[in-house]
Amino acid sequence: MAVTITGAELEAVIGAERAVAERLLSVATAVVERYAPDAPSDIQNEAVIRFAGYLHQSRATIAFRSTSIGGIDVQGPPTHAPAFRNCGAMALLSPWKVRRAGVI
């Protein structure tokens, strides 16, 4: 299967400018097709929309890792590492994810 959504369609759905939508489409498509290449196109398209929309709406300054050490709050650099999981794309594609056993 393959992602079939266009930059114009993504632009309309996530409210991004065309250039931004095209860039996010490229990024989201690469991640989605690598994670679950055999998922149906409709599922992949929705995952791309969710992931691209999440990336479009995220700000580098709002996702801080923080912890408390001895009563002192410490904040690390911004992270969007769980973006694919948080946007719901990973769960949507999960039934088509090929899992393999590793060598022990």
Side-chain angles (χ1 to χ4, degrees):
M1 306 297 168
V3 172
T4 59
I5 190 169
T6 66
E9 292 170 328
L10 186 61
E11 173 188 12
V13 173
I14 68 172
E17 294 177 3
R18 176 63 60 93
V20 173
E22 292 285 346
R23 180 175 47 85
L24 291 173
L25 175 61
S26 176
V27 170
T29 297
V31 172
V32 165
E33 288 182 345
R34 183 167 192 262
Y35 185 79
D38 296 329
S41 293
D42 289 342
I43 302 295
Q44 286 183 339
N45 288 342
E46 183 61 27
V48 164
I49 290 168
R50 289 172 184 235
F51 190 41
Y54 186 98
L55 293 175
H56 178 63
Q57 293 297 317
S58 65
R59 301 285 184 254
T61 57
I62 61 170
F64 283 94
R65 292 179 291 170
S66 63
T67 188
S68 182
I69 303 172
I72 300 172
D73 290 331
V74 179
Q75 290 188 341
T79 178
H80 291 293
F84 194 58
R85 179 181 308 273
N86 290 347
C87 73
M90 185 180 282
L92 197 61
L93 295 167
S94 185
W96 292 275
K97 170 69 174 162
V98 176
R99 290 168 176 79
R100 304 187 193 281
V103 176
I104 299 177

